[in-house]
Amino acid sequence: MNAPIQPPQWATRLLRTFCASQLVDDLEGDLLELFAQRVRSLGPREARRRYVRDVFSLIRPFAMKEKPEKYPQPAFIQPAMIRNYFKIAFRNLAKHKMFSFINIMGLSAGITACFLIALYVHFELSYDAFNKKADRIYRLSSDINSSAGTLHYSISSWPLGPNLQTDFPEIEAFTRVSKEKYLFRKGDLKFNEEQTVLADSTLFRVFDLELLHGNPATALTAPFSVVLTERSARKYFGNANPIGQTLLVGDNGDAAQVTGIMKDPPVNSQLTGDIFISMTTHTRHYNKAVNEEWGNFGTTTYLLLKPGANANALSRKFPAFLQRHMGRLLQAEKISLTLVLEPLPEIYLHSKYEAEQSGSMANIYTFTVIAAFILVIACINFVNLTTARSLERAREVGVRKAVGAGRWLLARQFIAESVLMSFLSFIFSLILSAALIPLFNELSGKTISRGIEYELPFVGALFAGSMLIGLVSGIYPAVVLSSLEPVKVLKGKFAMTGHGTLLRKGLVTVQFAISIALIIGTMIVYTQLNFLRSHDLGFAKDRMVVIPSASGPERNALKAALQNLNGVQSAALSASVPGGPNSQAHSRIENSEGEMQVATIDMYQVDFDFIPQYGLKVVAGRSFSKDFATDSTKALVINEAMAKLLGYRSPEEAVNKKFSQWERQGTIIGVVKDFNFKSLREQVKPLTFRLADRWNGDLLSVKLAGNDVRNTLSAIEQQWKTHYPDRPFSYYFLDEFYDRQYRADVRFQRLFTNFAVLAIVISCLGLLGLASYSTIQRTKEIGVRKVMGASAASIVGLLSKDFLKLVGLAFVVAAPLAWIGMSRWLEGFAYKTDIGLWIFVAAALLSAMVAFATISFQSIRAALMNPVKSLRNE
């Protein structure tokens, strides 16, 4: 007897694998019956083929096995459930007001701080980025090398720009700018404009400066053509159209025609100015030979390279260029010159050359780290407070699980609560940011932002970041809470694991370590700035008033008149004052080996009264004296640093040595003690003093004697108007002027301090929440202890000591890290304070006091609670 024909067994096993158990018997029976009929009618082969086809045709949802679920879960993307998630979340927020407040406010403050710091960092990093051709614009800087070393200048020789463009076709355009101070007059209006910029006609071709009125190709072509910014146009002409109008320039009152109105340049631009006057005014009118003066380094040159041009390849051609045009000059002066191309976007933050504006990458890194710290602290607060409330919410979790809630459903609920709090924090942070932007602008000293409505990309990033923070911060609490076992919870046997408690303590330690590090940093920054202010600079700057623009023959008469005023001790004329710019002179001075050492040295042009009035101490030889007729033409005074540069072992050895400087030859008559004529970020440089023959200085320093400063200044102004009736009177106090060099450091200190305080406040908020929770959990214990006779002080100590231990551990972690970080920050100063042990002791005490004050708020409250009441509640 033949065996019955069977269908493919693998197809039958496949059917049994995917088919739902309640359907598989019926479907398999039907298929076998149909198979037997087909064997008879179509034959075995066709029957098997159709059997396989039918099995595959049953792979459909109705026949598929369903995963056995005791408690089927709804889909996550279900509007009803989402509404339910947020409804419960709102109820929980409302029920636990204090925790909700601490969480939301802490996170809001953290997000706001990050938002403001992000604006600041973006502002600093985007300097000059408004130029669409910024990647092709280069500043031409100069390294002048001599036997005395290398001097770095951001300026260049006047003829370099036009000759470079002629010799190198890869240069598309060049423009030279030179910031000058000019007197401008229109009718009764007269201003000494210190932000006047001489610029070539190609200014608008190189830079993307928007000209609102006028032709950018010709606006700065003719001599005495003037382009005004919007603010300077309003200053002189109000709302009238100034195109074609004239302004009087300089003491001679030369007429300059307004040929353009420029939109105010962006504040984050290297090229700043209020009035732009054509370069031809200088090269064709005031100094017609300057374009041939290769040794005259008095302008800043910008080159615009053609697309695809290689700046490095161009730089390699410069030595041959210099040899062609300046070879004899450089050889005669025994110096060499290296031209450096600095990419425009890198100048503000990375240039080593002196600049009117410069930023600090160290500050940007510092603030970025602070922002990250604040955000970490805020997130730690959130995670800590939420997990700390696990015991309280354990019953809720137990009940939910008992009625069928799965772990994933609970996790989604807790994540939804987290995201909701993040969203609320985002809303509050928007409000805070809008309110704080003006204050932040003031603290930073810059217009970082005009308002939150102008920062929509940042707002979008802020929203995305807030949601991400909510999601990430909610994951750990969600995992912890959703993993609780309902049986143990409902029987009251639940307790947080040691791992969870350890993690929470670890996070608190990290949080306070960051805060303590910021406290130490703040104290070191403050100490350093206080050191700078109190450091003996080596010259007298107190009660010293400097009057600029005292030029012309009237200056000596004015000086004599002021010296006779009551309240004026003395007066002196000079071309430079400490804290301000000064000239450099190519010099040859006899060194200790008897050779004429060549160097380009800082130079002060002064009169006879300058050195005594500024209290400079003569340590060898003498100062300038009217008793020696040759002092005006053959005398030089140097400082100690210059004597050391020349190789002399003592200042006395430098006296009577020969010098040659700016067509003047003679001897060194004296050496003054080093004084800090530049910022304390720099060591004292070699310096020479000479009496001016071709007087270019227009600074009149007046030493006040009495206390009646207001009336003395009024009398000085009257004398000014007598001698300079057509010029506005202005003055500044030297001490304030000198301290302007530390303006950026002062702003850094303010911002650093404010953000450090914010970080500490956020940390304390978290500590307050944890202390509050801990107190609630120990209510019964506190009641029992009070009944047994424990004092309030002992209870406060009991509740506080655990947290204070964590703060102590945080100090141990933070102190060395803060010391390392701040030591690197201090390396930027040539003169710096020591990081004393007292700073760390003070920081430890302060952090402990702040932590204890935060904790004691809840501890004292618990200690004073009626034990009967607390025990009854338990």
Side-chain angles (χ1 to χ4, degrees):
M1 184 177 178
N2 293 333
I5 298 173
Q6 298 293 328
Q9 293 303 306
W10 64 268
T12 304
R13 287 195 294 272
L14 176 64
L15 176 68
R16 292 170 182 169
T17 300
F18 71 79
C19 191
S21 58
Q22 67 272 23
L23 300 176
V24 66
D25 292 338
D26 293 339
L27 291 177
E28 186 177 349
D30 292 344
L31 288 178
L32 290 174
E33 185 178 347
L34 189 59
F35 174 77
Q37 293 175 1
R38 287 171 176 165
V39 169
R40 291 192 295 272
S41 59
L42 301 175
R45 184 176 181 180
E46 181 62 20
R48 288 192 182 96
R49 189 185 69 79
R50 296 197 179 191
Y51 181 84
V52 172
R53 184 196 64 185
D54 291 342
V55 168
F56 278 101
S57 68
L58 288 173
I59 304 178
R60 296 180 186 178
F62 83 93
M64 298 289 286
K65 279 184 177 178
E66 292 183 2
K67 186 178 179 181
E69 276 287 349
K70 190 174 181 180
Y71 304 105
Q73 302 296 310
F76 181 76
I77 308 299
Q78 191 175 68
M81 287 307 299
I82 292 176
R83 283 197 299 273
N84 181 263
Y85 293 150
F86 286 102
K87 183 186 295 181
I88 295 173
F90 269 116
R91 287 175 178 171
N92 275 314
L93 292 180
K95 183 180 179 182
H96 307 285
K97 294 184 178 61
M98 181 176 174
F99 286 102
S100 302
F101 173 81
I102 291 174
N103 258 349
I104 293 174
M105 285 299 104
L107 203 53
S108 299
I111 294 173
T112 303
C114 289
F115 178 71
L116 295 177
I117 290 176
L119 289 179
Y120 172 81
V121 170
H122 177 262
F123 178 87
E124 291 290 284
L125 293 177
S126 63
Y127 249 77
D128 295 307
F130 71 95
N131 289 289
K132 296 177 183 175
K133 303 182 286 289
D135 59 329
R136 294 194 283 130
I137 301 174
Y138 293 83
R139 185 174 71 182
L140 192 64
S141 298
S142 309
D143 287 344
I144 299 178
N145 313 294
S146 68
S147 57
T150 301
L151 296 172
H152 307 285
Y153 296 106
S154 60
I155 53 178
S156 52
S157 171
W158 283 87
L160 276 175
N163 283 279
L164 283 170
Q165 189 182 21
T166 302
D167 286 19
F168 302 110
E170 53 266 57
I171 298 176
E172 181 176 317
F174 77 92
T175 188
R176 296 169 297 181
V177 296
S178 178
K179 189 163 286 187
E180 307 286 347
K181 181 173 62 179
Y182 279 102
L183 172 67
F184 281 85
R185 285 178 289 169
K186 178 184 178 297
D188 294 334
L189 297 174
K190 44 193 174 185
F191 299 97
N192 281 315
E193 298 286 359
E194 298 187 357
Q195 295 291 318
T196 303
V197 180
L198 283 167
D200 278 307
S201 59
T202 50
L203 176 72
F204 299 103
R205 186 176 174 188
V206 176
F207 292 98
D208 290 320
L209 298 170
E210 186 177 352
L211 204 60
L212 301 175
H213 302 284
N215 185 343
T218 59
L220 290 174
T221 302
F224 292 103
S225 299
V226 169
V227 172
L228 304 176
T229 59
E230 291 177 287
R231 54 177 173 264
S232 58
R234 286 192 297 270
K235 182 175 171 183
Y236 287 96
F237 298 97
N239 295 324
N241 184 1
I243 297 294
Q245 301 293 316
T246 58
L247 292 171
L248 301 182
V249 183
D251 295 332
N252 298 329
D254 296 319
Q257 186 178 38
V258 179
T259 54
I261 304 298
M262 178 198 300
K263 188 175 181 179
D264 291 336
V267 290
N268 55 347
S269 169
Q270 290 286 314
L271 192 61
T272 58
D274 291 325
I275 298 179
F276 292 76
I277 187 168
S278 57
M279 183 63 77
T280 51
T281 308
H282 184 71
T283 57
R284 295 184 193 173
H285 185 80
Y286 290 134
N287 189 349
K288 296 180 181 178
V290 71
N291 278 337
E292 301 300 327
E293 295 177 351
W294 287 89
N296 187 342
F297 286 69
T299 185
T300 303
T301 304
Y302 292 94
L303 303 180
L304 174 64
L305 304 190
K306 290 180 179 177
N310 188 315
N312 292 327
L314 178 61
S315 297
R316 289 194 288 271
K317 301 176 184 176
F318 286 161
F321 169 86
L322 292 173
Q323 185 60 33
R324 287 198 302 273
H325 295 276
M326 301 180 68
R328 290 183 180 179
L329 174 65
L330 298 175
Q331 186 176 9
E333 298 293 340
K334 296 182 179 178
I335 59 174
S336 63
L337 172 64
T338 303
L339 298 180
V340 180
L341 289 177
E342 291 186 281
L344 182 65
E346 298 182 8
I347 293 175
Y348 179 71
L349 289 173
H350 302 285
S351 177
K352 64 181 179 183
Y353 300 88
E354 289 187 357
E356 183 181 357
Q357 299 184 69
S358 61
S360 167
M361 277 305 297
N363 288 357
I364 290 177
Y365 290 141
T366 301
F367 285 121
T368 303
V369 170
I370 289 176
F373 280 174
I374 291 175
L375 202 57
V376 167
I377 290 173
C379 291
I380 287 176
N381 269 358
F382 180 85
V383 173
N384 257 349
L385 291 174
T386 308
T387 51
R389 288 179 54 215
S390 298
L391 283 174
E392 189 175 342
R393 299 199 67 178
R395 295 188 184 90
E396 175 191 339
V397 173
V399 171
R400 283 173 175 268
K401 282 198 167 184
V403 297
R407 183 175 182 181
W408 174 227
L409 180 66
L410 289 170
R412 278 181 284 180
Q413 171 63 43
F414 293 124
I415 290 175
E417 289 185 18
S418 172
V419 172
L420 175 64
M421 276 198 278
S422 290
F423 179 74
L424 294 175
S425 300
F426 165 73
I427 299 298
F428 280 114
S429 68
L430 279 185
I431 299 171
L432 284 173
S433 299
L436 291 177
I437 281 178
L439 176 62
F440 189 67
N441 285 338
E442 185 178 343
L443 283 176
S444 64
K446 302 175 180 179
T447 308
I448 303 297
S449 172
R450 291 178 293 166
I452 200 166
E453 64 273 21
Y454 296 96
E455 311 295 348
L456 293 183
F458 281 91
V459 172
L462 184 67
F463 175 77
S466 302
M467 296 300 100
L468 184 63
I469 290 171
L471 184 64
V472 173
S473 300
I475 287 177
Y476 178 73
V479 170
V480 172
L481 292 173
S482 62
S483 65
L484 300 180
E485 297 181 29
V487 176
K488 291 184 179 179
V489 170
L490 295 177
K491 285 184 177 179
K493 296 180 179 178
F494 166 75
M496 288 299 290
T497 64
H499 175 73
T501 304
L502 186 63
L503 176 62
R504 196 165 62 252
K505 289 182 176 179
L507 291 177
V508 170
T509 304
V510 170
Q511 199 175 35
F512 261 85
I514 294 172
S515 300
I516 292 170
L518 292 175
I519 290 175
I520 295 173
T522 302
M523 296 177 74
I524 292 175
V525 170
Y526 177 82
T527 305
Q528 173 63 13
L529 291 184
N530 191 47
F531 170 82
L532 295 180
R533 293 192 185 100
S534 60
H535 183 76
D536 182 10
L537 300 172
F539 68 93
K541 62 183 176 71
D542 295 333
R543 308 182 71 78
M544 191 83 76
V545 174
V546 180
I547 304 171
S549 305
S551 59
E554 299 89 349
R555 70 169 71 88
N556 289 322
L558 174 65
K559 175 187 172 184
L562 296 185
Q563 287 175 321
N564 293 324
L565 286 179
N566 288 330
V568 172
Q569 180 177 318
S570 59
L573 286 160
S574 63
S576 309
V577 294
N582 57 262
S583 304
Q584 285 89 27
H586 182 67
S587 313
R588 293 189 181 90
I589 306 177
E590 184 179 354
N591 62 22
S592 60
E593 297 178 354
E595 297 177 349
M596 297 301 287
Q597 185 164 323
V598 179
T600 300
I601 302 297
D602 287 284
M603 179 183 69
Y604 267 38
Q605 294 189 82
V606 299
D607 69 359
F608 290 100
D609 299 314
F610 184 88
I611 291 179
Q613 176 168 317
Y614 272 80
L616 304 184
K617 185 178 180 181
V618 179
V619 295
R622 61 178 177 83
S623 180
F624 298 113
S625 172
K626 294 179 181 176
D627 296 334
F628 298 87
T630 56
D631 278 5
S632 298
T633 55
K634 297 181 178 179
L636 193 72
V637 173
I638 64 174
N639 67 350
E640 290 177 306
M642 185 71 235
K644 290 178 184 175
L645 177 67
L646 295 170
Y648 296 112
R649 290 172 295 180
S650 67
E652 288 78 8
E653 292 182 8
V655 178
N656 294 325
K657 302 300 180 184
K658 294 181 291 185
F659 80 92
S660 173
Q661 183 187 68
W662 276 10
E663 301 175 354
R664 180 182 296 183
Q665 297 178 356
T667 57
I668 297 171
I669 62 169
V671 180
V672 298
K673 186 177 179 60
D674 282 343
F675 68 102
N676 296 97
F677 59 101
K678 297 289 186 181
S679 162
L680 290 175
R681 284 183 175 274
E682 307 174 25
Q683 293 284 356
V684 177
K685 291 181 177 179
L687 178 67
T688 61
F689 294 86
R690 56 185 281 165
L691 294 174
D693 48 357
R694 296 176 300 173
W695 191 268
N696 293 318
D698 60 355
L699 301 176
L700 178 57
S701 301
V702 181
K703 180 77 172 177
L704 304 184
N707 295 322
D708 193 0
V709 176
R710 178 177 297 180
N711 286 332
T712 303
L713 289 175
S714 178
I716 292 174
E717 183 176 5
Q718 289 301 319
Q719 288 297 327
W720 175 271
K721 290 179 178 176
T722 300
H723 293 83
Y724 294 99
D726 294 329
R727 294 190 194 177
F729 174 69
S730 62
Y731 67 91
Y732 55 82
F733 286 95
L734 185 65
D735 53 352
E736 296 174 357
F737 177 76
Y738 188 87
D739 287 345
R740 288 197 312 180
Q741 300 174 105
Y742 310 120
R743 190 178 294 169
D745 297 313
V746 172
R747 290 170 185 158
F748 174 76
Q749 180 215 4
R750 290 175 181 169
L751 291 175
F752 193 98
T753 303
N754 280 277
F755 286 121
V757 170
L758 179 61
I760 295 165
V761 169
I762 297 174
S763 297
C764 289
L765 280 176
L767 195 59
L768 176 65
L770 288 176
S772 174
Y773 175 76
S774 176
T775 304
I776 293 172
Q777 292 302 309
R778 302 179 74 172
T779 300
K780 182 178 179 180
E781 177 190 349
I782 294 169
V784 172
R785 285 178 179 272
K786 291 197 70 174
V787 169
M788 298 298 291
S791 65
S794 65
I795 292 176
V796 171
L798 175 71
L799 295 174
S800 305
K801 66 179 182 181
D802 289 342
F803 289 109
L804 292 179
K805 286 179 183 175
L806 297 181
V807 174
L809 179 60
F811 175 80
V812 173
V813 174
L817 297 177
W819 184 83
I820 294 171
M822 296 314 296
S823 295
R824 291 186 177 179
W825 180 75
L826 287 173
E827 288 175 359
F829 295 88
Y831 299 85
K832 55 193 174 188
T833 184
D834 295 326
I835 303 179
L837 181 62
W838 69 269
I839 291 178
F840 296 93
V841 174
L845 292 175
L846 180 61
S847 56
M849 288 171 59
V850 170
F852 181 74
T854 305
I855 299 165
S856 61
F857 176 78
Q858 289 295 333
S859 302
I860 294 173
R861 185 179 172 187
L864 298 178
M865 187 181 297
N866 186 342
V868 176
K869 183 179 178 181
S870 59
L871 291 176
R872 183 192 299 133
N873 290 338
E874 288 294 321

